[in-house]
Amino acid sequence: MDAHTGTDTNTDTDTSPGARTGPGTGTGPSTAAGPGPGTETPCSGTELIVVGGGPAGVSGALMAAGLGLRVTLVEARERIGGRPWEIGAMENVPGGWRDGPAFARALADDIARLEAAGRCTLVRDRAVRVAAYEDHAEVSLAHGAPLTGTAVLVATGVVPLEAGDADWIEARGTVRPPPLWCAGPDVGHALVLGGDRPLGTWLRTHPEAGARLEVLHPRADAYKVAEVAADPRVHLYEVERATVQHTDDQRFEVTAHGTDGGVRTFGAPSVLANLGMRPSPPAGDLVRGPEGYCPLASQSFRLLTAGDLRSARHQRITPAQGSGAEAALTYYYAAHG
Ligand SMILES: Cc1cc2nc3c(=O)[nH]c(=O)nc-3n(C[C@H](O)[C@H](O)[C@H](O)COP(=O)(O)OP(=O)(O)OC[C@H]3O[C@@H](n4cnc5c(N)ncnc54)[C@H](O)[C@@H]3O)c2cc1C
């Protein structure tokens, strides 16, 4: 199949392990948890479509290509590498990477090498829908023609929660705070809504920045802010609820009801969100849990998931890479074992 047009142009005979046997044939939506026994793969084009070129998707593509599967990687953004492009200071990453963009570049290089070797086709587009049928899986794209493969591995990660998503925040008017971790070293005096771990990332990334960060966080974040409480730039206030609005002089004001029973008003030139993340999978046939995450074990044979998209726990690079490889192996052994 030509990954860019969605037409099946590959008619060669493949003797790789990835071409030996496959799931059953048919046309209806797939409900089976596994492939039919002893049947041939009906798709002669791309076998595994990987959606998302972050650590999980790249790992899945590398593993799948290593197993001899034909891989198409769909990435919505200009560059392969995912969230690490935005992380100034990383820790606990295989290989000891500490600089996010350098690590992201290495992932992009891995995919470029696979492409050069003819093991992977890169499609730069946004997947808007994934669907599983009995004999194939499909990815609908925002701009291009749909892609067809034998299975789809979705690794689209998570996106930042916004003030409107948090039940303890009332954001008035047009207030839409940007994520803290995207702020530069010149942030100065800022109000930070939420105590998620990117606060520590920002402090490590900008050790010399002379900031005053007034962090208003719910009790649930207390154990996370404790990790950075000793930094003199951080000023913590635990709140039950908070109302944020613009003031006339283009500053922001937050009225906070503290867990200590007090009510305090904070003002600063900027307000930043640090509220955590939520999954953002394409529409379609992925099975979602109560919080919108898509665990691998809940999916049909033709739809696999990896990385941060799987669950709110273990949202780190090592589990993302491990789960990308795991998903590719899960498909490989189910289809070809
Ligand atoms: C501020 C911050 C600091 C962090 N620091 C660390 C750290 O020090 N150590 C650590 O281990 N982890 C850290 N993490 C977590 C780490 O970044 C993630 O666990 C990891 O990036 C998850 O990889 P992923 O491939 O699942 O998702 P992502 O890295 O988010 O990649 C997802 C990819 O999918 C693409 N995509 C999304 N939707 C679509 C679509 N519809 N169609 C096509 N493509 C799509 C995106 O453009 C992106 O390239 C940090 C995270 C943040 C936010």
Side-chain angles (χ1 to χ4, degrees):
M1 186 195 69
D2 182 323
H4 293 278
T5 62
T7 39
D8 198 338
T9 55
N10 186 344
T11 54
D12 61 333
T13 305
D14 193 338
T15 54
S16 69
R20 280 183 284 133
T21 57
T25 56
T27 52
S30 168
T31 51
T39 50
E40 293 301 313
T41 301
C43 298
S44 56
T46 289
E47 187 156 24
L48 185 67
I49 303 171
V50 178
V51 179
V58 169
S59 174
L62 289 169
M63 176 61 82
L67 292 166
L69 305 180
R70 286 174 298 251
V71 179
T72 294
L73 176 59
V74 182
E75 169 53 50
R77 299 180 71 179
E78 282 297 299
R79 20 185 215 193
I80 294 293
R83 192 66 71 192
W85 280 110
E86 296 156 21
I87 305 173
M90 293 192 312
E91 46 186 23
N92 305 320
V93 179
W97 296 94
R98 301 193 71 82
D99 178 273
F103 173 59
R105 256 189 302 279
L107 297 180
D109 289 347
D110 287 338
I111 294 302
R113 272 193 295 277
L114 279 192
E115 279 194 287
R119 309 307 305 262
C120 175
T121 303
L122 177 58
V123 174
R124 294 188 190 278
D125 205 336
R126 174 166 292 277
V128 292
R129 185 176 181 80
V130 294
Y133 299 91
E134 198 165 320
D135 62 349
H136 71 283
E138 262 179 31
V139 176
S140 305
L141 301 174
H143 303 292
L147 303 175
T148 302
T150 311
V152 179
L153 165 51
V154 184
T156 49
V158 290
V159 295
L161 282 166
E162 297 190 16
D165 299 321
D167 58 6
W168 59 275
I169 298 173
E170 182 190 347
R172 291 196 176 151
T174 55
V175 176
R176 209 172 163 200
L180 163 69
W181 84 78
C182 296
D186 55 354
V187 70
H189 181 197
L191 307 175
V192 178
L193 301 175
D196 203 30
R197 288 215 166 90
L199 176 57
T201 304
W202 189 92
L203 295 166
R204 284 195 301 279
T205 305
H206 306 296
E208 309 298 335
R212 177 178 176 83
L213 303 177
E214 302 204 80
V215 181
L216 298 110
H217 67 91
R219 180 164 287 163
D221 287 349
Y223 71 98
K224 292 186 247 183
V225 295
E227 295 167 6
V228 295
D231 192 306
R233 298 170 292 177
V234 173
H235 304 269
L236 300 171
Y237 192 48
E238 189 179 288
V239 301
E240 298 278 6
R241 57 196 163 88
T243 304
V244 54
Q245 59 191 352
H246 280 294
T247 58
D248 290 344
D249 56 358
Q250 296 305 306
R251 283 167 62 90
F252 292 88
E253 187 180 273
V254 176
T255 305
H257 293 253
T259 54
D260 59 4
V263 179
R264 285 177 61 184
T265 300
F266 299 82
S270 63
V271 61
L272 300 163
N274 185 37
L275 297 162
M277 314 295 267
R278 64 174 173 80
S280 64
D285 292 344
L286 282 174
V287 177
R288 302 188 193 198
E291 292 176 348
Y293 286 94
C294 306
L296 175 64
S298 305
Q299 309 305 322
S300 82
F301 159 70
R302 295 189 188 282
L303 295 182
L304 304 115
T305 57
D308 285 5
L309 177 65
R310 288 174 313 163
S311 97
R313 301 186 65 202
H314 310 305
Q315 292 193 344
R316 312 293 288 173
I317 284 159
T318 304
Q321 292 183 309
S323 66
E326 177 195 5
L329 284 166
T330 298
Y331 166 71
Y332 175 76
Y333 286 120
H336 308 291

